[in-house]
Amino acid sequence: MSGSKQLKLGAFMRPVSIHTGAWRYPGALPDANFNFPALKRFIQKLEQGKFDAFFMADHLAVLNMPINALKRSHTVTSFEPFTLLSALASVTEHIGLVATASTTYDEPFHIARRFASLDHISDGRAGWNIVTTSNPDAALNFGLEEEVEHDERYVRAREFYDVVTGLWDSFADDAFIRDVESGIYFDPEKIHVLGHQGKHLSVRGPLNIARPVQGWPVIVQAGASEAGRQLAAETAEMVFAPAGNLEAGKALFADIKKRAWIIGRDPESIKILPGALVIVGETVEEAIAKRKHLDSLVHYDSGIASLNGALGYDVSGFDPNGFLPEIPETNAGRSSRERIVALAQREKLTIRQLAQRVGSYGGLSFVGTPQTIADEMEKWLIEEGSDGFNIMFPFLPEGLNDFVDKVIPELQWRGIFRKDYEGKTLRENLGLARPANRFFKSDR
Amino acid sequence: MSGSKQLKLGAFMRPVSIHTGAWRYPGALPDANFNFPALKRFIQKLEQGKFDAFFMADHLAVLNMPINALKRSHTVTSFEPFTLLSALASVTEHIGLVATASTTYDEPFHIARRFASLDHISDGRAGWNIVTTSNPDAALNFGLEEEVEHDERYVRAREFYDVVTGLWDSFADDAFIRDVESGIYFDPEKIHVLGHQGKHLSVRGPLNIARPVQGWPVIVQAGASEAGRQLAAETAEMVFAPAGNLEAGKALFADIKKRAWIIGRDPESIKILPGALVIVGETVEEAIAKRKHLDSLVHYDSGIASLNGALGYDVSGFDPNGFLPEIPETNAGRSSRERIVALAQREKLTIRQLAQRVGSYGGLSFVGTPQTIADEMEKWLIEEGSDGFNIMFPFLPEGLNDFVDKVIPELQWRGIFRKDYEGKTLRENLGLARPANRFFKSDR
């Protein structure tokens, strides 16, 4: 079946799981967010399963929720992405390492440098998930009294991307001569001073690290709003925007690839990998029962807090048995709010039902046997709903082990997932070209 | 000889070496700043030698020197400290990991979080070398047109330290209950919102990571100016201020310990570990010859550039065969400038001679046999010149291997250096107490 379309798979990770109730699930590791050896086992298992990437989610504040919900949340403590992924780099050989980093609350010089360093340390396995950070509490941790407005965050993000990629190109790929005899370490014609002066940023450069192994680490983007999709079309190589079902997936897939095509990019140079929660059972009924058990571990206080967070608006004052009122425009991620409002209307959910759904993960999920899960994934692949998925595991390690031991072999048997890594770098495994240096031609 | 005073030893590292000519030395690895496997071998050798810490120097810009000197410098590319030390954390078990991080060009929330994360990943081996970054080119990489003035940088550093340590104390040590039955993850009475509002910084908190394993990572400080010494006395647990000879070392030792005592700190809670370049030979003559060979590999263009950098003032227009003119007050590290002016006057060096010395490393060095080197170190220890040293290796791997294989056994035989690690954390190995949480009492 060689030559057929191939799924790309990332693992979208929080140490304990992305699911609020996961830490209480039988066999789970409630302390995984303190437990580096556990994370090491997780990533090594993913590498055994030939995953493209380990994708580390992030937040720049303790999530904004009432204390009676917060006290139930394992999200208040987690490893920081750069330290975690760097530590995992030296205990793995093939799997990509995607770190979330904010363009609103960090400096392009730091971001460019850390990703370049991670790329050198991992021999070409780094990826940058560009986020603009919609969380008013994050602003307060960085000296701002008020959050930067949604669209302005995206304007800054675009400029930030230009600066970071420009800094990565500070040295030509072949700049470093290291001629011991003459004492010349690098060719002085092959260093570039960026000298960026823009609306939001002023950065001189050059970056004090050689060009990354991949040229540029792989660019990942998750925004699904108008501004988010446009940023993705212009910059992203992997898109993680959510798609709740196949129809939504197809629409997103077509939209992003078309936007890219319009500005002259090859649509194949962007891989669309929406997030998907996968729960595996011996039978479909067993898988559904696992999910019900997992969701039952989410307290209502946590559910309503998650709903408020996702909406960027406090609805806890309304009757939980009534329907969602009109929600005013807020500064929260626009696409998240719109998706939840649509879900409530489509399924006619009360606020209580909606809170339980959102609190327990309200997005795309595949719940079934390895065969039914593979059926769904194959359908998405063939019908151009996506190029693959960022898999979310419901609980760890069981959910992860089930996926690697049961679903991966099924996908491999069908010829839609690799049996071994094709390349050495994340970029090569994803089938992405190495970007040329914008300031220097190279023979490399 | 148990109970006698014990040396503490850090390794002050740049991947290729701190010496400008090192990459050209026979057997050196000119590509070590690209070569993670080499760094892994270096740190594992240091751990075999029972070193307290691997101490990673840093710069936030390509060093400011003319292109004809820059092109000879291996410093233009290096791994970033957090990514490097995290990657090294997972291939070591005992050695401390000290990262340099700037209080002028970073955010306390990021710094607190990364060090906490590194401390959790390494099981209590992180240390923070607080620097204020005296480099006008760094300012230009972070959107500032002009460098922040020297003393103001130290005012901000002090406030930054208060914020970072406050953020580390966001959770009580025993906050995390993880009670699966009741669904309570942490005790809501044991989270603290910092709410800092100061002259330079405004940071709400809490930090989104549990208190570090060490309570606080070990605090390291290198400044030797008046402001730097005072900051060290108030905050540092390891002092890396330079001391060019034993008399200067004794004066620094006495001054810092006294300053600490005056403000109520136990002088034993600060370990003074000046940097020392160590070159080992079978005979003293062979060691001196190694140094001469090494220094001869530094080009004059590099020497004058280093001198200008250290002075914060361009003296290349003056007659190289004349003496140093009066240097006006600059924004560069004050202590560095004063030390060099004193060296020139003491040894009556011309600008050329001074440039060659500074370009080839002008600070404290021990050049001799394992016995003569151990004699000098023991003298420093006994006469209270220092509590130990941050060793700089002249070239790698040879200089490092020589130290571990030849000098360490001599120090151990004399009973002034450990044969095995005493504790599990860096703090325990250095003999430092675990700081109490300023917001919570704990039984831990």
Short mmCIF file of all heavy atoms in Angstrom, two decimals, chain A residues 24 30 33-34 58-59 71 76-77 80 83 87 90 105 110 113 117 140-141 143 178 180-181 185 202 205 208 210, chain B residues 24 30 33-34 58-59 71 76-77 80 83 87 90 105 110 113 117 140-141 143 178 180-181 185 202 204-205 208 210:
data_model
loop_
_atom_site.label_atom_id
_atom_site.label_comp_id
_atom_site.label_asym_id
_atom_site.label_seq_id
_atom_site.Cartn_x
_atom_site.Cartn_y
_atom_site.Cartn_z
N ARG A 24 -8.17 11.02 38.68
CA ARG A 24 -8.92 10.16 39.59
C ARG A 24 -9.24 8.80 38.95
O ARG A 24 -9.85 7.95 39.59
CB ARG A 24 -10.22 10.85 39.99
CG ARG A 24 -10.02 12.18 40.66
CD ARG A 24 -11.33 12.87 40.94
NE ARG A 24 -12.08 12.18 41.98
CZ ARG A 24 -13.35 12.44 42.27
NH1 ARG A 24 -14.02 13.37 41.58
NH2 ARG A 24 -13.97 11.76 43.21
N PRO A 30 -1.74 10.43 39.50
CA PRO A 30 -2.13 11.79 39.89
C PRO A 30 -0.93 12.72 40.04
O PRO A 30 -1.07 13.94 39.97
CB PRO A 30 -2.81 11.60 41.24
CG PRO A 30 -3.17 10.15 41.32
CD PRO A 30 -2.15 9.43 40.49
N ASN A 33 2.49 15.28 37.01
CA ASN A 33 3.01 16.62 36.80
C ASN A 33 4.15 16.99 37.75
O ASN A 33 4.64 18.12 37.73
CB ASN A 33 1.87 17.67 36.87
CG ASN A 33 0.89 17.34 37.96
OD1 ASN A 33 1.18 16.52 38.83
ND2 ASN A 33 -0.26 17.98 37.94
N PHE A 34 4.59 16.05 38.55
CA PHE A 34 5.80 16.20 39.37
C PHE A 34 6.83 15.14 38.98
O PHE A 34 7.92 15.11 39.53
CB PHE A 34 5.51 15.92 40.86
CG PHE A 34 4.59 16.88 41.52
CD1 PHE A 34 3.22 16.75 41.41
CD2 PHE A 34 5.09 17.93 42.28
CE1 PHE A 34 2.36 17.63 42.05
CE2 PHE A 34 4.24 18.81 42.92
CZ PHE A 34 2.87 18.67 42.80
N ASP A 58 0.51 24.49 27.11
CA ASP A 58 1.06 25.38 28.13
C ASP A 58 0.07 26.46 28.53
O ASP A 58 -0.82 26.82 27.77
CB ASP A 58 2.35 26.03 27.63
CG ASP A 58 3.17 26.61 28.77
OD1 ASP A 58 3.16 26.00 29.85
OD2 ASP A 58 3.81 27.65 28.60
N HIS A 59 0.27 26.97 29.73
CA HIS A 59 -0.46 28.14 30.22
C HIS A 59 0.52 29.04 30.96
O HIS A 59 1.46 28.54 31.55
CB HIS A 59 -1.57 27.71 31.20
CG HIS A 59 -2.59 26.82 30.59
ND1 HIS A 59 -3.51 27.28 29.69
CD2 HIS A 59 -2.82 25.49 30.73
CE1 HIS A 59 -4.28 26.26 29.29
NE2 HIS A 59 -3.88 25.16 29.90
N LYS A 71 -9.27 23.87 43.24
CA LYS A 71 -8.69 22.89 44.17
C LYS A 71 -8.84 21.46 43.66
O LYS A 71 -8.20 20.54 44.17
CB LYS A 71 -9.33 23.03 45.55
CG LYS A 71 -10.77 22.53 45.62
CD LYS A 71 -11.38 22.76 46.99
CE LYS A 71 -12.82 22.22 47.01
NZ LYS A 71 -13.52 22.57 48.26
N VAL A 76 -2.90 23.04 37.95
CA VAL A 76 -2.21 24.15 38.62
C VAL A 76 -0.70 23.97 38.65
O VAL A 76 0.04 24.93 38.86
CB VAL A 76 -2.70 24.41 40.07
CG1 VAL A 76 -4.14 24.89 40.06
CG2 VAL A 76 -2.53 23.17 40.92
N THR A 77 -0.24 22.76 38.48
CA THR A 77 1.21 22.56 38.44
C THR A 77 1.58 21.71 37.23
O THR A 77 0.90 20.73 36.93
CB THR A 77 1.74 21.93 39.75
OG1 THR A 77 3.15 21.70 39.61
CG2 THR A 77 1.05 20.62 40.08
N GLU A 80 7.45 23.24 32.78
CA GLU A 80 7.53 24.29 31.75
C GLU A 80 8.01 23.60 30.46
O GLU A 80 8.89 22.73 30.51
CB GLU A 80 8.49 25.37 32.25
CG GLU A 80 8.65 26.56 31.35
CD GLU A 80 9.69 26.33 30.28
OE1 GLU A 80 10.60 25.50 30.49
OE2 GLU A 80 9.58 26.99 29.23
N THR A 83 12.03 23.29 29.42
CA THR A 83 12.81 22.44 30.31
C THR A 83 12.39 20.98 30.14
O THR A 83 13.22 20.09 30.04
CB THR A 83 12.66 22.90 31.78
OG1 THR A 83 11.29 23.22 32.03
CG2 THR A 83 13.49 24.13 32.05
N ALA A 87 14.75 18.02 28.40
CA ALA A 87 15.09 16.84 29.20
C ALA A 87 14.67 15.57 28.47
O ALA A 87 15.37 14.56 28.51
CB ALA A 87 14.43 16.92 30.58
N SER A 90 17.01 14.21 25.39
CA SER A 90 18.19 13.36 25.56
C SER A 90 17.86 11.92 25.93
O SER A 90 18.76 11.11 26.11
CB SER A 90 19.20 13.99 26.54
OG SER A 90 18.59 14.38 27.73
N TYR A 105 3.63 37.35 25.56
CA TYR A 105 4.31 37.52 26.85
C TYR A 105 5.74 37.03 26.85
O TYR A 105 6.26 36.57 27.88
CB TYR A 105 3.50 36.84 27.95
CG TYR A 105 2.10 37.38 28.04
CD1 TYR A 105 1.00 36.61 27.70
CD2 TYR A 105 1.89 38.71 28.40
CE1 TYR A 105 -0.29 37.13 27.75
CE2 TYR A 105 0.61 39.24 28.45
CZ TYR A 105 -0.47 38.45 28.12
OH TYR A 105 -1.73 38.98 28.16
N HIS A 110 14.59 35.60 22.93
CA HIS A 110 14.58 34.40 23.78
C HIS A 110 13.96 33.20 23.05
O HIS A 110 14.46 32.08 23.14
CB HIS A 110 13.77 34.65 25.05
CG HIS A 110 14.43 35.53 26.05
ND1 HIS A 110 15.74 35.40 26.41
CD2 HIS A 110 13.94 36.56 26.80
CE1 HIS A 110 16.04 36.30 27.34
NE2 HIS A 110 14.97 37.02 27.59
N ARG A 113 16.07 31.81 20.27
CA ARG A 113 17.26 31.15 20.79
C ARG A 113 16.95 29.80 21.41
O ARG A 113 17.66 28.82 21.21
CB ARG A 113 17.85 32.10 21.85
CG ARG A 113 19.22 31.78 22.25
CD ARG A 113 19.81 32.95 22.99
NE ARG A 113 21.03 32.51 23.59
CZ ARG A 113 21.26 32.50 24.90
NH1 ARG A 113 20.37 33.00 25.73
NH2 ARG A 113 22.39 32.05 25.36
N SER A 117 18.21 26.24 20.08
CA SER A 117 19.00 25.40 20.97
C SER A 117 18.38 24.01 21.09
O SER A 117 19.07 22.98 20.99
CB SER A 117 19.10 26.08 22.34
OG SER A 117 19.99 25.41 23.19
N LEU A 140 -1.60 39.78 33.98
CA LEU A 140 -1.25 40.26 35.32
C LEU A 140 0.07 39.68 35.83
O LEU A 140 0.69 40.24 36.72
CB LEU A 140 -2.37 39.91 36.31
CG LEU A 140 -3.73 40.55 36.01
CD1 LEU A 140 -4.79 40.02 36.97
CD2 LEU A 140 -3.65 42.07 36.09
N ASN A 141 0.48 38.56 35.28
CA ASN A 141 1.78 37.98 35.67
C ASN A 141 2.95 38.62 34.94
O ASN A 141 4.11 38.33 35.24
CB ASN A 141 1.77 36.47 35.42
CG ASN A 141 0.89 35.73 36.41
OD1 ASN A 141 0.68 36.21 37.53
ND2 ASN A 141 0.36 34.59 36.01
N GLY A 143 3.08 42.14 34.22
CA GLY A 143 3.14 43.59 34.38
C GLY A 143 2.10 44.38 33.62
O GLY A 143 2.16 45.61 33.58
N ARG A 178 35.53 26.92 11.03
CA ARG A 178 36.35 26.34 12.11
C ARG A 178 37.72 25.90 11.60
O ARG A 178 38.14 24.75 11.82
CB ARG A 178 35.62 25.15 12.75
CG ARG A 178 34.30 25.52 13.37
CD ARG A 178 33.73 24.38 14.19
NE ARG A 178 33.14 23.33 13.39
CZ ARG A 178 31.84 23.17 13.16
NH1 ARG A 178 30.98 24.01 13.70
NH2 ARG A 178 31.39 22.18 12.43
N VAL A 180 41.23 25.60 11.97
CA VAL A 180 42.18 25.67 13.09
C VAL A 180 43.49 26.34 12.65
O VAL A 180 44.07 27.13 13.40
CB VAL A 180 42.44 24.25 13.64
CG1 VAL A 180 43.60 24.24 14.62
CG2 VAL A 180 41.17 23.70 14.31
N GLU A 181 43.93 26.05 11.45
CA GLU A 181 45.19 26.62 10.96
C GLU A 181 45.16 28.14 10.92
O GLU A 181 45.97 28.82 11.55
CB GLU A 181 45.50 26.10 9.54
CG GLU A 181 46.22 24.77 9.51
CD GLU A 181 47.47 24.78 10.39
OE1 GLU A 181 48.34 25.66 10.19
OE2 GLU A 181 47.56 23.93 11.30
N TYR A 185 36.99 31.23 12.69
CA TYR A 185 35.93 30.34 13.18
C TYR A 185 34.72 30.33 12.26
O TYR A 185 34.12 29.31 12.02
CB TYR A 185 35.51 30.73 14.60
CG TYR A 185 34.79 29.61 15.29
CD1 TYR A 185 35.51 28.53 15.81
CD2 TYR A 185 33.40 29.59 15.40
CE1 TYR A 185 34.86 27.46 16.41
CE2 TYR A 185 32.75 28.52 15.99
CZ TYR A 185 33.48 27.46 16.50
OH TYR A 185 32.85 26.40 17.08
N SER A 202 11.32 45.76 18.34
CA SER A 202 12.57 46.32 17.85
C SER A 202 13.69 45.38 18.30
O SER A 202 13.95 45.24 19.49
CB SER A 202 12.73 47.72 18.44
OG SER A 202 14.06 48.15 18.32
N GLY A 205 19.56 41.78 16.67
CA GLY A 205 20.27 40.57 16.25
C GLY A 205 21.75 40.87 16.11
O GLY A 205 22.20 41.95 16.47
N ASN A 208 22.68 34.63 18.77
CA ASN A 208 23.98 34.05 19.15
C ASN A 208 23.95 32.52 19.17
O ASN A 208 24.45 31.87 20.09
CB ASN A 208 24.47 34.62 20.49
CG ASN A 208 23.45 34.46 21.60
OD1 ASN A 208 22.30 34.10 21.35
ND2 ASN A 208 23.87 34.73 22.82
N ALA A 210 23.98 29.18 16.01
CA ALA A 210 23.98 28.80 14.59
C ALA A 210 22.56 28.48 14.12
O ALA A 210 21.68 28.19 14.92
CB ALA A 210 24.87 27.57 14.39
N ARG B 24 41.46 25.99 18.99
CA ARG B 24 42.58 25.66 18.11
C ARG B 24 43.61 24.75 18.78
O ARG B 24 44.59 24.36 18.16
CB ARG B 24 43.27 26.96 17.67
CG ARG B 24 42.34 27.91 16.93
CD ARG B 24 43.03 29.21 16.61
NE ARG B 24 44.06 29.04 15.60
CZ ARG B 24 44.97 29.96 15.28
NH1 ARG B 24 44.97 31.13 15.92
NH2 ARG B 24 45.86 29.72 14.36
N PRO B 30 36.50 21.83 18.26
CA PRO B 30 36.06 23.17 17.84
C PRO B 30 34.55 23.25 17.65
O PRO B 30 33.98 24.33 17.68
CB PRO B 30 36.77 23.36 16.49
CG PRO B 30 37.88 22.37 16.45
CD PRO B 30 37.43 21.22 17.29
N ASN B 33 30.26 23.54 20.62
CA ASN B 33 29.05 24.36 20.80
C ASN B 33 27.91 23.97 19.85
O ASN B 33 26.86 24.62 19.84
CB ASN B 33 29.40 25.85 20.67
CG ASN B 33 30.40 26.11 19.57
OD1 ASN B 33 30.62 25.23 18.73
ND2 ASN B 33 30.99 27.29 19.56
N PHE B 34 28.08 22.94 19.08
CA PHE B 34 27.02 22.33 18.27
C PHE B 34 26.77 20.89 18.71
O PHE B 34 25.90 20.23 18.19
CB PHE B 34 27.43 22.23 16.79
CG PHE B 34 27.66 23.52 16.09
CD1 PHE B 34 28.86 24.18 16.18
CD2 PHE B 34 26.65 24.05 15.31
CE1 PHE B 34 29.07 25.37 15.51
CE2 PHE B 34 26.85 25.25 14.63
CZ PHE B 34 28.05 25.91 14.73
N ASP B 58 26.57 32.59 30.18
CA ASP B 58 25.62 32.98 29.13
C ASP B 58 25.84 34.42 28.69
O ASP B 58 26.37 35.25 29.42
CB ASP B 58 24.18 32.81 29.63
CG ASP B 58 23.20 32.80 28.47
OD1 ASP B 58 23.54 32.26 27.41
OD2 ASP B 58 22.09 33.33 28.62
N HIS B 59 25.40 34.69 27.47
CA HIS B 59 25.35 36.04 26.92
C HIS B 59 24.03 36.20 26.17
O HIS B 59 23.53 35.23 25.60
CB HIS B 59 26.50 36.27 25.95
CG HIS B 59 27.85 36.14 26.58
ND1 HIS B 59 28.34 37.07 27.47
CD2 HIS B 59 28.80 35.18 26.49
CE1 HIS B 59 29.53 36.69 27.88
NE2 HIS B 59 29.84 35.54 27.31
N LYS B 71 35.17 37.05 13.98
CA LYS B 71 35.25 35.88 13.09
C LYS B 71 36.18 34.79 13.64
O LYS B 71 36.17 33.67 13.16
CB LYS B 71 35.72 36.32 11.69
CG LYS B 71 37.19 36.72 11.61
CD LYS B 71 37.58 37.20 10.23
CE LYS B 71 39.07 37.56 10.21
NZ LYS B 71 39.47 38.20 8.95
N VAL B 76 30.32 32.96 19.37
CA VAL B 76 29.12 33.46 18.67
C VAL B 76 27.99 32.45 18.66
O VAL B 76 26.84 32.82 18.43
CB VAL B 76 29.42 33.89 17.21
CG1 VAL B 76 30.33 35.09 17.19
CG2 VAL B 76 29.98 32.75 16.40
N THR B 77 28.29 31.20 18.85
CA THR B 77 27.21 30.22 18.92
C THR B 77 27.37 29.36 20.16
O THR B 77 28.48 28.93 20.50
CB THR B 77 27.14 29.34 17.64
OG1 THR B 77 26.10 28.37 17.80
CG2 THR B 77 28.46 28.63 17.36
N GLU B 80 21.60 27.45 24.63
CA GLU B 80 20.94 28.31 25.62
C GLU B 80 20.91 27.52 26.94
O GLU B 80 20.69 26.31 26.94
CB GLU B 80 19.54 28.65 25.09
CG GLU B 80 18.71 29.56 25.95
CD GLU B 80 17.97 28.83 27.03
OE1 GLU B 80 17.72 27.61 26.87
OE2 GLU B 80 17.69 29.45 28.06
N THR B 83 17.77 25.03 28.02
CA THR B 83 17.61 23.86 27.17
C THR B 83 18.78 22.90 27.40
O THR B 83 18.59 21.70 27.52
CB THR B 83 17.49 24.28 25.70
OG1 THR B 83 18.45 25.29 25.41
CG2 THR B 83 16.12 24.82 25.39
N ALA B 87 18.47 19.19 29.25
CA ALA B 87 18.86 17.99 28.50
C ALA B 87 19.92 17.21 29.28
O ALA B 87 19.91 15.97 29.29
CB ALA B 87 19.38 18.37 27.13
N SER B 90 18.74 14.87 32.42
CA SER B 90 18.24 13.50 32.30
C SER B 90 19.34 12.49 31.98
O SER B 90 19.05 11.31 31.83
CB SER B 90 17.08 13.41 31.30
OG SER B 90 17.38 14.04 30.10
N TYR B 105 16.71 41.50 31.31
CA TYR B 105 16.07 41.22 30.01
C TYR B 105 15.16 40.00 30.04
O TYR B 105 15.02 39.29 29.05
CB TYR B 105 17.15 41.07 28.93
CG TYR B 105 17.99 42.30 28.81
CD1 TYR B 105 19.33 42.31 29.16
CD2 TYR B 105 17.42 43.50 28.38
CE1 TYR B 105 20.09 43.47 29.08
CE2 TYR B 105 18.16 44.66 28.30
CZ TYR B 105 19.51 44.64 28.65
OH TYR B 105 20.24 45.79 28.58
N HIS B 110 8.64 33.97 34.12
CA HIS B 110 9.33 32.96 33.31
C HIS B 110 10.52 32.35 34.07
O HIS B 110 10.73 31.14 34.05
CB HIS B 110 9.88 33.59 32.02
CG HIS B 110 8.85 33.91 30.99
ND1 HIS B 110 7.84 33.04 30.65
CD2 HIS B 110 8.68 35.00 30.21
CE1 HIS B 110 7.09 33.60 29.69
NE2 HIS B 110 7.58 34.78 29.42
N ARG B 113 9.51 30.09 36.93
CA ARG B 113 8.90 28.87 36.43
C ARG B 113 9.94 27.91 35.85
O ARG B 113 9.89 26.71 36.11
CB ARG B 113 7.91 29.29 35.35
CG ARG B 113 6.97 28.24 34.97
CD ARG B 113 5.82 28.84 34.21
NE ARG B 113 5.08 27.77 33.64
CZ ARG B 113 4.89 27.60 32.33
NH1 ARG B 113 5.35 28.49 31.47
NH2 ARG B 113 4.23 26.57 31.90
N SER B 117 10.89 24.32 37.32
CA SER B 117 10.72 23.14 36.47
C SER B 117 12.02 22.34 36.39
O SER B 117 12.01 21.10 36.54
CB SER B 117 10.27 23.60 35.08
OG SER B 117 9.92 22.52 34.27
N LEU B 140 19.75 46.17 22.75
CA LEU B 140 19.21 46.33 21.39
C LEU B 140 18.45 45.09 20.92
O LEU B 140 17.63 45.17 20.02
CB LEU B 140 20.34 46.64 20.40
CG LEU B 140 21.10 47.94 20.66
CD1 LEU B 140 22.27 48.07 19.68
CD2 LEU B 140 20.17 49.14 20.54
N ASN B 141 18.74 43.94 21.52
CA ASN B 141 18.00 42.72 21.16
C ASN B 141 16.67 42.61 21.88
O ASN B 141 15.88 41.71 21.59
CB ASN B 141 18.85 41.49 21.46
CG ASN B 141 20.01 41.34 20.48
OD1 ASN B 141 19.92 41.82 19.36
ND2 ASN B 141 21.08 40.70 20.92
N GLY B 143 14.55 45.47 22.48
CA GLY B 143 13.69 46.62 22.27
C GLY B 143 14.08 47.89 23.00
O GLY B 143 13.34 48.86 22.99
N ARG B 178 -3.89 15.42 46.52
CA ARG B 178 -4.22 14.44 45.47
C ARG B 178 -5.10 13.32 46.02
O ARG B 178 -4.78 12.14 45.85
CB ARG B 178 -2.93 13.86 44.87
CG ARG B 178 -2.06 14.88 44.21
CD ARG B 178 -0.94 14.25 43.43
NE ARG B 178 0.13 13.72 44.26
CZ ARG B 178 1.29 14.32 44.49
NH1 ARG B 178 1.56 15.47 43.90
NH2 ARG B 178 2.20 13.77 45.25
N VAL B 180 -7.83 11.09 45.68
CA VAL B 180 -8.64 10.56 44.57
C VAL B 180 -10.10 10.39 45.00
O VAL B 180 -11.02 10.70 44.24
CB VAL B 180 -8.04 9.22 44.08
CG1 VAL B 180 -8.97 8.53 43.11
CG2 VAL B 180 -6.68 9.48 43.43
N GLU B 181 -10.31 9.96 46.23
CA GLU B 181 -11.68 9.73 46.71
C GLU B 181 -12.52 11.01 46.69
O GLU B 181 -13.57 11.07 46.07
CB GLU B 181 -11.65 9.19 48.14
CG GLU B 181 -11.52 7.68 48.23
CD GLU B 181 -12.55 6.96 47.38
OE1 GLU B 181 -13.75 7.19 47.58
OE2 GLU B 181 -12.15 6.19 46.48
N TYR B 185 -7.48 18.09 44.75
CA TYR B 185 -6.11 17.94 44.27
C TYR B 185 -5.11 18.65 45.18
O TYR B 185 -4.05 18.15 45.46
CB TYR B 185 -5.97 18.45 42.84
CG TYR B 185 -4.72 17.90 42.16
CD1 TYR B 185 -4.71 16.60 41.70
CD2 TYR B 185 -3.57 18.66 42.05
CE1 TYR B 185 -3.57 16.06 41.12
CE2 TYR B 185 -2.43 18.13 41.47
CZ TYR B 185 -2.43 16.83 41.01
OH TYR B 185 -1.30 16.28 40.46
N SER B 202 5.54 44.34 38.31
CA SER B 202 4.19 44.12 38.80
C SER B 202 3.80 42.70 38.39
O SER B 202 3.69 42.40 37.20
CB SER B 202 3.27 45.17 38.16
OG SER B 202 1.94 44.78 38.28
N ARG B 204 1.35 39.31 39.56
CA ARG B 204 0.29 38.83 40.44
C ARG B 204 0.58 37.45 41.04
O ARG B 204 0.46 37.23 42.22
CB ARG B 204 -1.03 38.80 39.68
CG ARG B 204 -2.20 38.33 40.52
CD ARG B 204 -3.49 38.46 39.76
NE ARG B 204 -4.62 38.01 40.54
CZ ARG B 204 -5.09 36.76 40.55
NH1 ARG B 204 -4.51 35.84 39.81
NH2 ARG B 204 -6.12 36.43 41.30
N GLY B 205 0.96 36.47 40.19
CA GLY B 205 1.06 35.10 40.66
C GLY B 205 -0.33 34.51 40.81
O GLY B 205 -1.31 35.14 40.45
N ASN B 208 2.45 28.75 38.39
CA ASN B 208 1.71 27.53 38.05
C ASN B 208 2.59 26.27 38.08
O ASN B 208 2.53 25.43 37.20
CB ASN B 208 1.00 27.68 36.70
CG ASN B 208 1.93 28.08 35.58
OD1 ASN B 208 3.09 28.43 35.82
ND2 ASN B 208 1.44 28.03 34.35
N ALA B 210 4.44 23.63 41.36
CA ALA B 210 4.64 23.36 42.78
C ALA B 210 5.98 23.91 43.25
O ALA B 210 6.89 24.14 42.45
CB ALA B 210 4.58 21.86 43.04
#
